[in-house]
Amino acid sequence: MNKESFSPSLDSQNLSASASGVANNKSYAVKYLCANCSSKVVLIRGDPVRCKECGHRVLYKERANYTVQFSAR
Amino acid sequence: MSETKKASFHTLEREEYFANPPDEQKYPLLRDAVAPHIGSFNALTEGGMDSLLNLAAKEVGERVVFDGDDENLGNRLAIRVANVQLGRPTVSANDKTTINRKVFPSECRERMATYRARMVLTLGYSVNGGPEKFESRDVGMIPIMMGSNRCHLEGMGPKDMVAHKEESEEQGGYFVINGLEKLIRLLIVQRRNHPLAIIRKSFTKRGSNYTTFGVQIRSVRPDQSSQTNVLHYLSDGGITMRFSWRKNEYLVPVMMILKALVETNDREIFDGIVASEGSNSFLTDRLELLLRNYKSYKLTSKQENLAFLGEKFRIVMDAPKDMSNEDVGRLMLKRVILVHLQDNTDKFRMLLFMIRKLYALVASECSPDNPDAVQHQEVLLGGFLYGMIIKERMEEYLSNFCATVRTELQKKKQSLHLDDPKIMQRICPRINEDIGRKLHYFLSTGNLVSHTGLDLQQTTGYTVIVEKINFHRFIAHFRMIHRGSFFAELKTTDVRKLLPESWGFLCPVHTPDGSPCGLLNHLAHKCLISVKKSDVGDIDSVLNQLGISPAGALANTPQKSVVMLDGKIIGWCTHEIAQQAANTIRQWKVTGDARLPQDLEVGLVPPSRGGQYPGLYLFAEASRFMRPVKHLATEKEDIVGPFEQVYLNVAVTPDEITNVHSHVEYSPTNILSILANMTPFSDFNQSPRNMYQCQMGKQAMGTPGVLTHRSDNKMYRLQTGQSPIVRAGLFDEYGLDNFPNGMNAVVAVISYTGYDMDDAMIINKSAHERGFGHGTIYKTEKVDLTEKQKPGDPTLLHFGFGPDNWPREWTQTLDVDGLPLVGAKLSNGDPIAAYYDSNSNKTMCLKYKSGETGFVEEVKLLGDDSLGELQKITVKLRIPRSPVIGDKFSSRHGQKGVCSQKWPTYDMPFSESGIQPDVIINPHAFPSRMTIGMFVESLAAKSGALHGMAQDATPWQFSETNTAAEYFGEQLLKAGYNYHGNEPMYSGVTGQELRCDIYVGVVFYQRLRHMVNDKFQVRSTGPVNPLTMQPVKGRKRSGGIRVGEMERDALIGHGTSYLLQDRLLNCSDYTQTSMCRTCGSLTATQEAQSTTGHRRGVKCRRCATQLEKDSFSWDSPPEGMWQDAIGNCFVGGDDTTTVAIPFVLKYLNSELSAMGIKMKYNIDP
């Protein structure tokens, strides 16, 4: 195989999200909590919903960490 | 007042219990309450080869298929289910990442999944009678009952339960199907293996000679499936047997069955029925006829009869081709006739007994048995029904296997051989092996799909959702027992009657009013249901000792007592001996001697003149109602059933025991259900009020233990629940204090503001502000992107934002991942979730649609079994519901009321000690309803609050000599209050003392789940139906409320005709339309075009005459000529007018004209 014949695959489906490097700049990772072991899980778009530690199938979204204030009467 | 149970708040105990959940369960009564469900499910798999599933597989037997034609059968393949195995719930095999393979129910609830485990059938097959080979087949995932022996939670204590995200005292007994909790409800069916004498009009419909008389027996096989046989009496004296098989009914002369069962002769049959009553000519005449008539069949020997039956039933029984007629006959007898008995001699004797009972019924020697009485009923348990369905699916599996083999043989004659070693691998994948899916369908819909009907009378409504509005409702579901939806349509009310036989088994109070009244009952709280057959040991020798002659004795007559155990005749004796035997057996079973089980039912029916057919009937089988009472002679516990209870004398209290009594109740409250027991001082109330409370207790907002880890559509939570001061003794034993259901409120009975009329109640505004009755609703919204895409397509929709331009204000409630921010406030129209289509690169969002603001409480990302990307989320919304005017409240005495006003505390009346009521109710709520229990509760809770103690409110604690008023009055006196509970009060407005003393006390109030915010409906204008132009209906669509026939009548009656017109026309489908005054037509009018010399206007085309083209000069057109839209010219038809009509009239007119009917309207003036 010579140098000229090599062409990188542009088929984004076969690349991991980080390798394709496009379209993911908007969805920077959000942290979730595993329902089973409470460890923090980072999901990138396209990742299966699984806890990285225990493989549990339910994740909770963390409470918003910035101020959420409603009219306090 | 008895000092046995001292009511207490158990505050420290409860704190400790929740801080450190113990290893051992604290409330065993809760587990007892669901024991029938779990026990019956466990019986499916318990006992190895004797488990119900394996017995069912055995009962299904083998199926046979041949590869030849009709003459030359060819190779013979026999296949059967050799073994059934049920696993425990685990994650699916293609999930490689999970470490803990166990699946727990909490996960299924969260993920909207089903709690299920794998079932494996071991198929045994042999070719041409050769050695049997085995093959295991996976038949899908079977839903598993929570807390059963297949569940991971089995035997866990509170500590482990909490660790697994369950209630600390989770008792199970239900299934988790798609995240919903489902329960197979208990059904009442006829008592098994006991022949009932029945007079029923519908029996005559069976044929020309059929009479109303019959003897019916519901025989139950060891695998708990049943088969009903009925003997019909014909007007010519003959008897036929009726049974239904695969939903078809068959009638067979009873003589044929008798002669096919055993090698017998007419003499033996005659003696077996007439016995010593040779002089009874009624009997001998009919029997002679029976025997003589059968001669016409010319069948004498057992073989001939069997062969005859076999020939007729070969197709019906689906018998193998190589089976002889005789064997088919035998098969039919085994499968259909008195299936609870294995031995043909036993069946023969039982049949003779049934014939004799039928003749006794016809001759009025005995009375008909009441099938609506609990005496002749038992329970169809959920687990057993589940097993019956699995059995039928196994049967279907084998049949499908054979059918597939046959079609494969036809398709490729050469390629398939029955002795192919790989035949299983070739055939099995071609049939539908997913039994689990069918059970899933059954549980999620409650529909029974069955080709046999399972000997049941309904096909729908077997399962219910276990609603967890509060714990009362939740636990009541498990004690609920239904008569069957077949009886709901019955016009007669006999089945709904409360019969004295039900005493102690079914609660007389806890049944809904309205259409299910008396059909939907609840078990008394001490009522047990047996889930397996009791071991009767060597009962034959026990009976021998008691002087009972064997079953073969020629004694089939009501003059003697038959001794029967679970529908098998085991002997005969005189009535005197039967009486002695019954007493002795009872003694022995209570003391445990002679290895007799305590729950053996000893039903002695003594001889009577025209009463129930006498005999000594023993029952030890499963599914029976049972309950504990105290046996007086031995001072020990006796378990009695409804059959024997009719003939026992059970004293209700120890005081009333006389020498006729053999038993005494442990407590009179044992007859009440769990909920009925919770009504305080229910013995003071008028009985319907206690029924109402049983309904309303189930609608109160409660406190769920586990709020997260559940995804119910709607959950209710009472924020400020309290422990009731006045509580029944059983309240703590059932652990109901862990789920507070209401609040203790200071209640004044006074007509104060005018806002308390007609069951309205006033709430003190300050009490409301302190949190009285504050509640919350949790709603779960599910967003599943897979539902928006076609199944099988690649995933195109993804949660999150796409690269396109989407409204930036979405980020107010949405996070960068497109999911809502936890804690965000949502109003109508705010986005809940954003997703984008990677195909069209468009970002879309789902909106929150509700007038009420909610807050995002939880966002859960739900994974699936395959490792796909995020497609499903649930969002739990919290909607605060502080009490508002129009919300419903109730005390625990069937006294419901609607909040009519939140009255400022400075205007509320106050007592001398400065107490102001939280709630004011009107005195008129009492005289007609007679809920004296509420007064007593008020007194009791008042003194309880003053002395700082809980009060026992168990019913039947007080008497005429020791009254409740006196007991609590003395307590009040000691606290320095008025003996009667009245207090002088002062008007909050003027400060003047009110002219009479006011009854003030403390009553426990429930906040019911019916709230105006869910119900209010207003509309001025809005959406209309496009066809009729009338307003649509339904609150959700902002529709109107119908002014119906009766409302119309009322308005007419009042003479308010303008209002009537406003409702029926102006606010509905008011339309203006043109009409021709000449011809009275609604449809012929049309708009004329504006032309020179003629203005626009409405003309009647019908009354106009069309002018031919060129018949006039355009320079001087005829007077009054007009043109339509396409240029036709007309003259005349000017006499039109505009009228106001309902739009539907136009619609009606056009519908009628489509049928060729003309409508003509006369228009005046």
Side-chain angles (χ1 to χ4, degrees):
Chain A
M1 191 190 276
N2 58 14
K3 255 183 185 172
E4 280 74 28
S5 70
F6 173 73
S7 63
S9 163
L10 290 173
D11 186 1
S12 60
Q13 295 217 321
N14 294 332
L15 282 174
S16 75
S18 52
S20 62
V22 284
N24 280 318
N25 47 359
K26 277 219 179 71
S27 71
Y28 51 87
V30 179
K31 277 180 186 166
Y32 302 97
L33 293 175
C34 169
N36 189 37
C37 65
S38 306
S39 58
K40 295 211 167 170
V41 182
V42 179
L43 283 193
I44 302 167
R45 186 171 285 172
D47 280 358
V49 185
R50 285 287 188 283
C51 170
K52 304 280 193 289
E53 301 291 325
C54 64
H56 196 70
R57 296 153 293 274
V58 180
L59 302 177
Y60 297 161
K61 200 164 154 56
E62 270 193 300
R63 195 183 166 86
N65 53 0
Y66 41 84
T67 319
V68 180
Q69 191 181 338
F70 312 114
S71 57
R73 284 188 293 132
Chain B
M1 189 159 179
S2 73
E3 291 299 311
T4 46
K5 274 178 245 154
K6 191 91 175 75
S8 161
F9 292 115
H10 303 284
T11 314
L12 295 176
E13 228 177 290
R14 191 172 58 243
E15 284 298 306
E16 172 60 21
Y17 175 78
F18 283 125
N20 303 303
D23 289 323
E24 289 303 313
Q25 62 192 62
K26 195 176 164 201
Y27 305 103
L29 282 182
L30 284 181
R31 300 233 169 152
D32 294 350
V34 300
H37 295 270
I38 292 189
S40 64
F41 190 88
N42 285 351
L44 292 179
T45 47
E46 258 168 17
M49 286 313 285
D50 285 335
S51 70
L52 290 188
L53 288 184
N54 279 327
L55 285 174
K58 201 171 138 195
E59 191 69 42
V60 168
E62 62 173 28
R63 290 287 180 279
V64 176
V65 66
F66 297 93
D67 60 1
D69 46 30
D70 279 344
E71 278 102 61
N72 182 15
L73 290 173
N75 289 317
R76 176 185 200 270
L77 176 88
I79 182 164
R80 69 182 182 103
V81 179
N83 193 8
V84 189
Q85 282 160 330
L86 194 54
R88 283 169 185 257
T90 51
V91 294
S92 77
N94 42 8
D95 184 335
K96 302 284 195 296
T97 55
T98 307
I99 300 154
N100 185 2
R101 307 300 291 180
K102 287 180 182 174
V103 168
F104 286 93
S106 62
E107 185 198 329
C108 298
R109 285 198 205 100
E110 275 186 316
R111 281 182 54 213
M112 313 256 186
T114 301
Y115 191 55
R116 54 192 183 172
R118 196 158 292 286
M119 187 161 95
V120 174
L121 297 187
T122 306
L123 301 176
Y125 63 103
S126 69
V127 180
N128 294 330
E132 194 171 32
K133 285 179 270 184
F134 295 97
E135 167 86 13
S136 286
R137 297 300 303 181
D138 174 359
V139 287
M141 305 284 274
I142 307 280
I144 293 295
M145 184 182 280
M146 286 263 298
S148 70
N149 59 7
R150 299 287 116 177
C151 172
H152 297 301
L153 300 177
E154 188 200 11
M156 277 190 186
K159 194 178 172 186
D160 291 325
M161 284 293 186
V162 171
H164 290 103
K165 304 169 194 166
E166 302 290 339
E167 302 279 3
S168 53
E169 294 284 335
E170 178 63 63
Q171 12 66 14
Y174 54 89
F175 299 85
V176 180
I177 306 291
N178 294 334
L180 292 175
E181 294 169 335
K182 286 273 188 167
L183 175 79
I184 307 180
R185 66 177 173 193
L186 303 178
L187 274 182
I188 290 183
V189 287
Q190 191 191 328
R191 180 180 276 270
R192 64 178 65 180
N193 310 342
H194 182 73
L196 290 194
I198 286 175
I199 297 178
R200 192 176 285 168
K201 269 215 179 101
S202 61
F203 282 168
T204 52
K205 290 179 203 155
R206 305 285 161 198
S208 56
N209 277 333
Y210 283 76
T211 63
T212 54
F213 301 102
V215 167
Q216 181 170 322
I217 185 168
R218 180 174 161 271
S219 301
V220 175
R221 302 183 185 92
D223 66 11
Q224 303 294 332
S225 63
S226 64
Q227 173 72 47
T228 301
N229 295 156
V230 191
L231 290 186
H232 283 286
Y233 180 75
L234 307 184
S235 50
D236 62 3
I239 295 176
T240 54
M241 172 174 271
R242 173 172 62 94
F243 58 86
S244 79
W245 181 254
R246 304 204 162 204
K247 291 185 180 162
N248 290 315
E249 299 220 314
Y250 300 93
L251 294 156
V252 183
V254 76
M255 286 302 295
M256 190 181 288
I257 289 168
L258 283 173
K259 289 195 169 184
L261 277 170
V262 290
E263 194 67 73
T264 182
N265 51 47
D266 289 358
R267 175 64 194 254
E268 200 182 348
I269 293 171
F270 185 88
D271 284 349
I273 293 170
V274 175
S276 54
E277 292 177 283
S279 56
N280 185 343
S281 60
F282 177 86
L283 207 55
T284 50
D285 284 359
R286 272 155 189 81
L287 215 57
E288 194 185 328
L289 204 83
L290 201 63
L291 292 167
R292 275 194 203 288
N293 281 351
Y294 191 64
K295 291 284 170 250
S296 60
Y297 283 92
K298 296 199 169 57
L299 302 168
T300 50
S301 69
K302 180 184 173 187
Q303 273 71 24
E304 282 171 353
N305 280 287
L306 278 175
F308 185 83
L309 277 175
E311 191 198 332
K312 302 286 177 206
F313 283 95
R314 175 173 287 278
I315 305 296
V316 177
M317 289 291 132
D318 191 21
K321 283 182 198 160
D322 63 340
M323 200 182 240
S324 69
N325 280 345
E326 237 173 81
D327 286 339
V328 177
R330 252 181 224 112
L331 185 73
M332 178 247 165
L333 292 182
K334 178 173 173 289
R335 279 190 186 164
V336 179
I337 306 299
L338 301 178
V339 291
H340 64 287
L341 297 168
Q342 309 302 316
D343 186 57
N344 276 354
T345 319
D346 287 338
K347 291 190 185 186
F348 179 73
R349 283 181 191 145
M350 188 64 195
L351 218 46
L352 292 182
F353 174 79
M354 286 167 67
I355 293 170
R356 184 64 189 88
K357 188 166 180 177
L358 180 55
Y359 282 135
L361 177 70
V362 176
S364 295
E365 283 178 276
C366 79
S367 64
D369 297 317
N370 183 2
D372 298 323
V374 145
Q375 187 185 18
H376 297 119
Q377 289 169 343
E378 63 171 37
V379 186
L380 178 73
L381 292 164
F384 294 166
L385 178 63
Y386 205 58
M388 281 150 75
I389 298 170
I390 294 177
K391 177 191 175 185
E392 210 171 81
R393 297 286 86 85
M394 291 196 289
E395 212 168 346
E396 195 179 77
Y397 185 95
L398 295 186
S399 304
N400 285 349
F401 181 89
C402 294
T404 313
V405 169
R406 266 180 234 120
T407 48
E408 284 298 305
L409 284 169
Q410 271 170 8
K411 253 197 271 176
K412 307 173 246 176
K413 201 117 201 166
Q414 270 68 41
S415 63
L416 186 76
H417 295 286
L418 289 185
D419 43 7
D420 183 347
K422 287 207 171 159
I423 183 156
M424 300 305 274
Q425 282 83 344
R426 292 191 54 180
I427 300 296
C428 289
R430 288 173 185 272
I431 53 182
N432 179 15
E433 289 190 289
D434 204 350
I435 292 181
R437 198 187 170 81
K438 290 175 176 156
L439 290 163
H440 191 277
Y441 173 82
F442 167 72
L443 285 172
S444 64
T445 62
N447 296 342
L448 181 66
V449 180
S450 160
H451 53 265
T452 65
L454 295 178
D455 204 28
L456 295 168
Q457 288 176 302
Q458 63 192 70
T459 55
T460 53
Y462 284 101
T463 60
V464 285
I465 296 178
V466 193
E467 291 169 306
K468 229 176 183 178
I469 290 162
N470 64 40
F471 195 71
H472 283 168
R473 192 187 189 98
F474 182 73
I475 199 71
H477 278 112
F478 298 94
R479 306 296 287 174
M480 180 174 80
I481 182 161
H482 201 263
R483 187 65 232 275
S485 50
F486 169 79
F487 295 95
E489 289 124 47
L490 234 52
K491 282 196 194 78
T492 54
T493 51
D494 294 0
V495 283
R496 299 167 183 261
K497 283 200 174 110
L498 174 65
L499 297 172
E501 283 95 328
S502 311
W503 176 274
F505 298 104
L506 301 179
C507 177
V509 174
H510 194 176
T511 177
D513 46 350
S515 64
C517 185
L519 297 176
L520 189 68
N521 284 298
H522 290 79
L523 294 174
H525 86 106
K526 281 288 178 189
C527 177
L528 316 164
I529 312 287
S530 57
V531 290
K532 58 178 174 226
K533 186 176 173 152
S534 305
D535 178 19
V536 286
D538 191 11
I539 196 154
D540 287 342
S541 68
V542 171
L543 293 174
N544 253 334
Q545 288 174 43
L546 297 172
I548 287 159
S549 32
L554 289 179
N556 190 359
T557 153
Q559 260 79 71
K560 290 271 176 67
S561 267
V562 65
V563 183
M564 210 187 266
L565 171 67
D566 285 322
K568 180 183 170 186
I569 296 172
I570 47 177
W572 293 91
C573 62
T574 62
H575 294 312
E576 293 73 33
I577 292 176
Q579 180 71 56
Q580 287 164 14
N583 290 342
T584 319
I585 292 173
R586 183 166 305 282
Q587 191 88 12
W588 283 346
K589 79 156 187 154
V590 173
T591 54
D593 295 343
R595 292 198 292 127
L596 288 178
Q598 193 192 20
D599 61 2
L600 179 70
E601 196 169 345
V602 189
L604 175 81
V605 183
S608 57
R609 262 175 287 169
Q612 201 179 354
Y613 198 85
L616 178 56
Y617 304 94
L618 307 172
F619 300 96
E621 265 282 5
S623 296
R624 282 178 299 128
F625 290 101
M626 302 182 302
R627 70 193 196 97
V629 287
K630 193 172 175 185
H631 189 230
L632 284 174
T634 54
E635 293 278 301
K636 285 197 170 142
E637 185 187 78
D638 190 5
I639 303 281
V640 302
F643 193 94
E644 60 189 351
Q645 181 177 275
V646 177
Y647 295 97
L648 297 177
N649 287 306
V650 185
V652 178
T653 56
D655 306 338
E656 66 168 31
I657 297 173
T658 60
N659 53 4
V660 300
H661 291 107
S662 60
H663 295 78
V664 65
E665 299 282 349
Y666 279 112
S667 162
T669 55
N670 281 7
I671 65 159
L672 299 176
S673 72
I674 300 174
L675 259 68
N677 258 307
M678 292 308 133
T679 310
F681 304 112
S682 57
D683 52 332
F684 288 84
N685 286 336
Q686 186 206 5
S687 71
R689 293 288 143 190
N690 290 332
M691 282 175 64
Y692 297 155
Q693 164 53 23
C694 284
Q695 290 314 300
M696 286 192 287
K698 292 196 276 190
Q699 298 170 16
M701 289 176 86
T703 323
V706 181
L707 250 173
T708 47
H709 319 303
R710 293 182 66 90
S711 32
D712 309 40
N713 287 327
K714 221 176 193 184
M715 271 188 290
Y716 293 89
R717 179 184 186 186
L718 183 68
Q719 230 81 27
T720 53
Q722 292 179 346
S723 183
I725 298 173
V726 173
R727 54 178 71 198
L730 287 163
F731 185 84
D732 289 313
E733 291 187 44
Y734 278 101
L736 297 177
D737 217 6
N738 299 345
F739 308 95
N741 226 11
M743 307 130 287
N744 297 298
V746 177
V747 175
V749 183
I750 172 177
S751 178
Y752 190 59
T753 60
Y755 281 103
D756 57 356
M757 279 187 283
D758 239 29
D759 277 337
M761 53 180 262
I762 297 157
I763 293 181
N764 185 327
K765 195 165 183 202
S766 291
H768 161 255
E769 281 160 4
R770 280 177 227 119
F772 177 79
H774 192 93
T776 311
I777 291 182
Y778 293 88
K779 273 186 188 166
T780 308
E781 307 257 345
K782 182 177 150 198
V783 183
D784 190 353
L785 293 186
T786 49
E787 282 172 8
K788 298 177 186 293
Q789 301 166 70
K790 273 183 208 156
D793 282 4
T795 316
L796 291 175
L797 299 180
H798 316 271
F799 278 108
F801 296 104
D804 60 325
N805 265 332
W806 38 268
R808 292 295 134 175
E809 51 281 11
W810 286 3
T811 51
Q812 298 224 314
T813 55
L814 299 183
D815 205 351
V816 284
D817 55 1
L819 309 184
L821 291 159
V822 179
K825 183 184 183 183
L826 295 181
S827 317
N828 195 18
D830 285 348
I832 291 186
Y835 58 96
Y836 83 103
D837 189 332
S838 56
N839 199 28
S840 62
N841 261 335
K842 256 193 191 150
T843 307
M844 287 158 280
C845 85
L846 286 158
K847 295 211 167 93
Y848 174 66
K849 283 193 193 100
S850 165
E852 261 183 305
T853 41
F855 299 89
V856 179
E857 174 86 0
E858 270 177 350
V859 178
K860 291 180 196 166
L861 287 70
L862 309 179
D864 52 2
D865 290 330
S866 61
L867 289 161
E869 65 161 285
L870 176 63
Q871 290 287 287
K872 200 156 125 187
I873 61 163
T874 54
V875 181
K876 192 182 281 175
L877 299 169
R878 171 169 47 88
I879 298 162
R881 283 284 175 87
S882 112
V884 293
I885 294 171
D887 285 358
K888 200 172 169 189
F889 292 81
S890 121
S891 75
R892 287 180 289 173
H893 304 270
Q895 288 275 23
K896 59 180 179 235
V898 172
C899 171
S900 61
Q901 203 58 260
K902 285 184 274 194
W903 205 254
T905 188
Y906 44 79
D907 286 340
M908 289 289 262
F910 54 91
S911 74
E912 291 191 325
S913 51
I915 297 284
Q916 288 178 308
D918 296 321
V919 169
I920 291 180
I921 55 167
N922 195 297
H924 289 104
F926 292 99
S928 60
R929 300 184 190 149
M930 295 179 281
T931 55
I932 309 306
M934 187 155 159
F935 289 138
V936 179
E937 186 193 339
S938 185
L939 274 187
K942 187 176 179 179
S943 74
L946 289 167
H947 292 286
M949 62 184 191
Q951 300 277 24
D952 186 356
T954 311
W956 300 302
Q957 300 278 315
F958 294 101
S959 63
E960 292 291 319
T961 49
N962 170 30
T963 62
E966 190 187 324
Y967 180 82
F968 296 114
E970 291 298 328
Q971 288 187 359
L972 282 175
L973 269 187
K974 274 192 189 142
Y977 276 76
N978 183 312
Y979 177 90
H980 297 290
N982 293 332
E983 287 180 39
M985 286 195 108
Y986 298 85
S987 163
V989 181
T990 65
Q992 284 174 306
E993 186 175 346
L994 301 174
R995 289 235 239 139
C996 61
D997 288 357
I998 306 300
Y999 195 74
V1000 188
V1002 178
V1003 179
F1004 193 69
Y1005 259 79
Q1006 302 159 311
R1007 179 165 183 207
L1008 304 187
R1009 63 161 171 177
H1010 305 285
M1011 286 172 267
V1012 264
N1013 270 328
D1014 298 321
K1015 307 210 157 154
F1016 73 91
Q1017 195 172 357
V1018 281
R1019 170 192 168 116
S1020 52
T1021 52
V1024 289
N1025 184 317
L1027 190 66
T1028 59
M1029 303 303 275
Q1030 289 176 347
V1032 295
K1033 67 174 177 186
R1035 196 180 100 90
K1036 260 183 256 162
R1037 285 169 287 179
S1038 79
I1041 299 172
R1042 186 181 151 88
V1043 176
E1045 204 94 348
M1046 294 174 80
E1047 289 78 5
R1048 186 207 64 147
D1049 294 346
L1051 293 179
I1052 292 173
H1054 272 275
T1056 52
S1057 47
Y1058 193 78
L1059 175 57
L1060 192 68
Q1061 190 187 30
D1062 185 62
R1063 290 295 94 200
L1064 296 186
L1065 183 64
N1066 298 342
C1067 291
S1068 180
D1069 54 349
Y1070 175 88
T1071 335
Q1072 288 190 342
T1073 186
S1074 56
M1075 207 179 255
C1076 177
R1077 295 177 79 104
T1078 317
C1079 66
S1081 167
L1082 193 61
T1083 45
T1085 51
Q1086 73 169 149
E1087 192 91 343
Q1089 296 299 304
S1090 67
T1091 48
T1092 33
H1094 200 278
R1095 283 195 303 143
R1096 279 178 80 100
V1098 179
K1099 305 284 175 189
C1100 178
R1101 185 160 177 156
R1102 197 161 165 271
C1103 298
T1105 37
Q1106 191 171 355
L1107 299 173
E1108 292 293 318
K1109 267 185 189 165
D1110 311 326
S1111 66
F1112 59 92
S1113 151
W1114 282 102
D1115 299 331
S1116 56
E1119 183 72 15
M1121 190 197 85
W1122 55 275
Q1123 276 184 295
D1124 67 4
I1126 54 168
N1128 293 325
C1129 300
F1130 299 88
V1131 177
D1134 301 324
D1135 193 17
T1136 60
T1137 186
T1138 304
V1139 290
I1141 52 158
F1143 183 83
V1144 271
L1145 183 62
K1146 273 179 98 171
Y1147 176 58
L1148 175 73
N1149 198 322
S1150 47
E1151 285 269 343
L1152 288 177
S1153 56
M1155 291 193 297
I1157 297 170
K1158 186 177 87 175
M1159 296 222 357
K1160 190 178 174 189
Y1161 304 88
N1162 294 324
I1163 300 163
D1164 284 322

